[in-house]
Amino acid sequence: MTTSRKTLTAAGLAALLALLPALASQSTHAAPASKWTKAPAKTQPLPVTVQGATVAAVPPSIKDTAAYMTLTNRSKQPIKLVGAATSLAAHPMLMITTRSGGMMGMKMVPSLTIPAGGKLTLHRGGDHVMLMGLKRPLKVGETVTLTLTAEDGRTLKVSATVKKN
Ligand SMILES: [Cu+2]
């Protein structure tokens, strides 16, 4: 009994050892591959038109601001935005404005959707792209770049003007 068990274990171990390099190489190659195979297939730009993109000017001591714009979806499918990026701020994020019992607040959300053939308006007191942790003071009138990312990996570059409200 003991002998056969030992044999099994040894065989099992040998099989496992033989598998390990395969598993290891699979895991190191498979993860980036699945992540990147999506990107080349989605090189077309998002069918979205941007109008009136602005970033609210803030005094140099204030490190958070927000970006506003109107996004028009020219496709027949809703487009879910899942992220925002910019070199301007440490933590760009998608936010909604909440109201409860007369109190206004903001809440980070995982996505904002532009309805099929419709518009999503990002505005003060509504949905917006929050730019937390500004890395430098913004100048009124300057143009800054934001990148919005959709759920399928496609991105949209947005040029926004820094404006005083
Ligand atoms: Cu906010």
Side-chain angles (χ1 to χ4, degrees), residues 64-66 68 93-97 105-108 126-132:
D64 306 323
T65 186
Y68 309 113
M93 55 186 83
L94 305 174
M95 287 190 125
I96 57 168
T97 299
M106 298 190 296
K107 199 179 137 195
M108 196 183 153
D127 300 347
H128 57 278
V129 175
M130 196 81 200
L131 305 176
M132 301 278 281

mmCIF file of all heavy atoms in Angstrom, residues 64-66 68 93-97 105-108 126-132, ligand 1:
data_model
loop_
_atom_site.group_PDB
_atom_site.id
_atom_site.type_symbol
_atom_site.label_atom_id
_atom_site.label_comp_id
_atom_site.label_asym_id
_atom_site.label_seq_id
_atom_site.Cartn_x
_atom_site.Cartn_y
_atom_site.Cartn_z
ATOM 1 N N ASP A 64 -8.299 70.433 -7.060
ATOM 2 C CA ASP A 64 -9.305 69.617 -7.728
ATOM 3 C C ASP A 64 -10.181 70.502 -8.601
ATOM 4 O O ASP A 64 -10.534 71.610 -8.215
ATOM 5 C CB ASP A 64 -10.221 68.927 -6.701
ATOM 6 C CG ASP A 64 -9.430 68.142 -5.677
ATOM 7 O OD1 ASP A 64 -8.408 67.546 -6.063
ATOM 8 O OD2 ASP A 64 -9.837 68.133 -4.498
ATOM 9 N N THR A 65 -10.506 69.974 -9.771
ATOM 10 C CA THR A 65 -11.451 70.688 -10.624
ATOM 11 C C THR A 65 -12.254 69.652 -11.419
ATOM 12 O O THR A 65 -12.177 68.459 -11.104
ATOM 13 C CB THR A 65 -10.738 71.715 -11.536
ATOM 14 O OG1 THR A 65 -11.730 72.470 -12.240
ATOM 15 C CG2 THR A 65 -9.820 71.048 -12.547
ATOM 16 N N ALA A 66 -13.011 70.114 -12.394
ATOM 17 C CA ALA A 66 -13.830 69.178 -13.157
ATOM 18 C C ALA A 66 -13.876 69.584 -14.620
ATOM 19 O O ALA A 66 -13.661 70.748 -14.954
ATOM 20 C CB ALA A 66 -15.250 69.138 -12.576
ATOM 21 N N TYR A 68 -16.213 69.502 -18.188
ATOM 22 C CA TYR A 68 -17.604 69.438 -18.656
ATOM 23 C C TYR A 68 -17.628 69.428 -20.167
ATOM 24 O O TYR A 68 -16.756 70.006 -20.819
ATOM 25 C CB TYR A 68 -18.381 70.653 -18.135
ATOM 26 C CG TYR A 68 -18.251 70.887 -16.659
ATOM 27 C CD1 TYR A 68 -17.594 72.011 -16.166
ATOM 28 C CD2 TYR A 68 -18.776 69.970 -15.749
ATOM 29 C CE1 TYR A 68 -17.474 72.232 -14.798
ATOM 30 C CE2 TYR A 68 -18.651 70.172 -14.384
ATOM 31 C CZ TYR A 68 -17.999 71.307 -13.913
ATOM 32 O OH TYR A 68 -17.875 71.509 -12.570
ATOM 33 N N MET A 93 -11.481 61.018 -12.552
ATOM 34 C CA MET A 93 -12.532 60.018 -12.301
ATOM 35 C C MET A 93 -13.890 60.494 -12.792
ATOM 36 O O MET A 93 -14.133 61.686 -12.952
ATOM 37 C CB MET A 93 -12.582 59.656 -10.818
ATOM 38 C CG MET A 93 -12.751 60.835 -9.894
ATOM 39 S SD MET A 93 -12.637 60.370 -8.150
ATOM 40 C CE MET A 93 -10.865 60.343 -7.910
ATOM 41 N N LEU A 94 -14.745 59.510 -13.031
ATOM 42 C CA LEU A 94 -16.105 59.810 -13.479
ATOM 43 C C LEU A 94 -16.981 59.994 -12.252
ATOM 44 O O LEU A 94 -16.918 59.205 -11.315
ATOM 45 C CB LEU A 94 -16.644 58.657 -14.336
ATOM 46 C CG LEU A 94 -15.785 58.257 -15.534
ATOM 47 C CD1 LEU A 94 -16.348 57.011 -16.207
ATOM 48 C CD2 LEU A 94 -15.668 59.396 -16.545
ATOM 49 N N MET A 95 -17.770 61.050 -12.258
ATOM 50 C CA MET A 95 -18.605 61.316 -11.090
ATOM 51 C C MET A 95 -20.009 61.735 -11.471
ATOM 52 O O MET A 95 -20.251 62.253 -12.560
ATOM 53 C CB MET A 95 -17.987 62.433 -10.240
ATOM 54 C CG MET A 95 -16.752 62.031 -9.476
ATOM 55 S SD MET A 95 -16.307 63.333 -8.310
ATOM 56 C CE MET A 95 -16.281 62.400 -6.810
ATOM 57 N N ILE A 96 -20.902 61.520 -10.546
ATOM 58 C CA ILE A 96 -22.271 62.015 -10.685
ATOM 59 C C ILE A 96 -22.543 62.931 -9.490
ATOM 60 O O ILE A 96 -21.836 62.867 -8.482
ATOM 61 C CB ILE A 96 -23.319 60.868 -10.716
ATOM 62 C CG1 ILE A 96 -23.209 60.004 -9.452
ATOM 63 C CG2 ILE A 96 -23.175 60.016 -11.966
ATOM 64 C CD1 ILE A 96 -24.381 59.051 -9.266
ATOM 65 N N THR A 97 -23.524 63.772 -9.633
ATOM 66 C CA THR A 97 -23.919 64.632 -8.525
ATOM 67 C C THR A 97 -25.143 64.008 -7.876
ATOM 68 O O THR A 97 -26.050 63.541 -8.562
ATOM 69 C CB THR A 97 -24.211 66.051 -9.034
ATOM 70 O OG1 THR A 97 -23.019 66.564 -9.628
ATOM 71 C CG2 THR A 97 -24.637 66.978 -7.902
ATOM 72 N N GLY A 105 -24.142 66.340 -3.205
ATOM 73 C CA GLY A 105 -22.840 65.713 -3.050
ATOM 74 C C GLY A 105 -22.368 65.142 -4.368
ATOM 75 O O GLY A 105 -23.066 65.240 -5.383
ATOM 76 N N MET A 106 -21.188 64.559 -4.343
ATOM 77 C CA MET A 106 -20.670 63.940 -5.558
ATOM 78 C C MET A 106 -20.285 62.511 -5.233
ATOM 79 O O MET A 106 -19.892 62.209 -4.118
ATOM 80 C CB MET A 106 -19.420 64.672 -6.030
ATOM 81 C CG MET A 106 -19.651 66.111 -6.382
ATOM 82 S SD MET A 106 -18.194 66.806 -7.209
ATOM 83 C CE MET A 106 -16.975 66.710 -5.932
ATOM 84 N N LYS A 107 -20.421 61.671 -6.235
ATOM 85 C CA LYS A 107 -20.107 60.272 -6.026
ATOM 86 C C LYS A 107 -19.352 59.732 -7.235
ATOM 87 O O LYS A 107 -19.741 59.998 -8.375
ATOM 88 C CB LYS A 107 -21.419 59.507 -5.845
ATOM 89 C CG LYS A 107 -21.282 58.160 -5.195
ATOM 90 C CD LYS A 107 -22.656 57.537 -5.052
ATOM 91 C CE LYS A 107 -22.604 56.079 -5.434
ATOM 92 N NZ LYS A 107 -23.923 55.503 -5.654
ATOM 93 N N MET A 108 -18.283 59.006 -6.969
ATOM 94 C CA MET A 108 -17.536 58.377 -8.046
ATOM 95 C C MET A 108 -18.362 57.216 -8.590
ATOM 96 O O MET A 108 -18.964 56.481 -7.815
ATOM 97 C CB MET A 108 -16.231 57.854 -7.468
ATOM 98 C CG MET A 108 -15.199 57.526 -8.496
ATOM 99 S SD MET A 108 -13.738 56.843 -7.677
ATOM 100 C CE MET A 108 -13.113 55.858 -9.023
ATOM 101 N N GLY A 126 -24.023 68.237 -12.271
ATOM 102 C CA GLY A 126 -24.511 66.991 -12.870
ATOM 103 C C GLY A 126 -23.369 66.000 -13.016
ATOM 104 O O GLY A 126 -22.421 66.027 -12.233
ATOM 105 N N ASP A 127 -23.468 65.142 -14.024
ATOM 106 C CA ASP A 127 -22.373 64.206 -14.291
ATOM 107 C C ASP A 127 -21.153 65.016 -14.726
ATOM 108 O O ASP A 127 -21.291 66.030 -15.403
ATOM 109 C CB ASP A 127 -22.754 63.249 -15.426
ATOM 110 C CG ASP A 127 -23.996 62.424 -15.092
ATOM 111 O OD1 ASP A 127 -24.408 62.419 -13.912
ATOM 112 O OD2 ASP A 127 -24.550 61.803 -16.012
ATOM 113 N N HIS A 128 -19.977 64.553 -14.341
ATOM 114 C CA HIS A 128 -18.762 65.277 -14.728
ATOM 115 C C HIS A 128 -17.531 64.392 -14.649
ATOM 116 O O HIS A 128 -17.584 63.310 -14.076
ATOM 117 C CB HIS A 128 -18.567 66.524 -13.854
ATOM 118 C CG HIS A 128 -18.508 66.234 -12.378
ATOM 119 N ND1 HIS A 128 -19.656 66.073 -11.617
ATOM 120 C CD2 HIS A 128 -17.466 66.054 -11.535
ATOM 121 C CE1 HIS A 128 -19.299 65.828 -10.363
ATOM 122 N NE2 HIS A 128 -17.981 65.795 -10.284
ATOM 123 N N VAL A 129 -16.451 64.867 -15.244
ATOM 124 C CA VAL A 129 -15.162 64.193 -15.087
ATOM 125 C C VAL A 129 -14.410 64.998 -14.039
ATOM 126 O O VAL A 129 -14.112 66.169 -14.232
ATOM 127 C CB VAL A 129 -14.359 64.161 -16.412
ATOM 128 C CG1 VAL A 129 -12.982 63.550 -16.168
ATOM 129 C CG2 VAL A 129 -15.111 63.366 -17.482
ATOM 130 N N MET A 130 -14.177 64.370 -12.909
ATOM 131 C CA MET A 130 -13.470 65.039 -11.812
ATOM 132 C C MET A 130 -11.974 64.924 -12.069
ATOM 133 O O MET A 130 -11.497 63.860 -12.468
ATOM 134 C CB MET A 130 -13.824 64.305 -10.507
ATOM 135 C CG MET A 130 -13.494 65.083 -9.276
ATOM 136 S SD MET A 130 -14.807 66.276 -8.986
ATOM 137 C CE MET A 130 -13.929 67.423 -7.936
ATOM 138 N N LEU A 131 -11.268 66.001 -11.873
ATOM 139 C CA LEU A 131 -9.810 65.970 -12.007
ATOM 140 C C LEU A 131 -9.223 66.240 -10.632
ATOM 141 O O LEU A 131 -9.073 67.390 -10.224
ATOM 142 C CB LEU A 131 -9.342 67.010 -13.036
ATOM 143 C CG LEU A 131 -9.978 66.900 -14.431
ATOM 144 C CD1 LEU A 131 -9.516 68.040 -15.330
ATOM 145 C CD2 LEU A 131 -9.659 65.555 -15.070
ATOM 146 N N MET A 132 -8.957 65.170 -9.913
ATOM 147 C CA MET A 132 -8.456 65.273 -8.541
ATOM 148 C C MET A 132 -6.934 65.308 -8.564
ATOM 149 O O MET A 132 -6.299 64.532 -9.263
ATOM 150 C CB MET A 132 -8.892 64.053 -7.719
ATOM 151 C CG MET A 132 -10.381 63.840 -7.631
ATOM 152 S SD MET A 132 -11.154 64.836 -6.376
ATOM 153 C CE MET A 132 -10.747 63.887 -4.921
HETATM 154 CU CU CU B 1 -16.744 65.552 -8.566
#
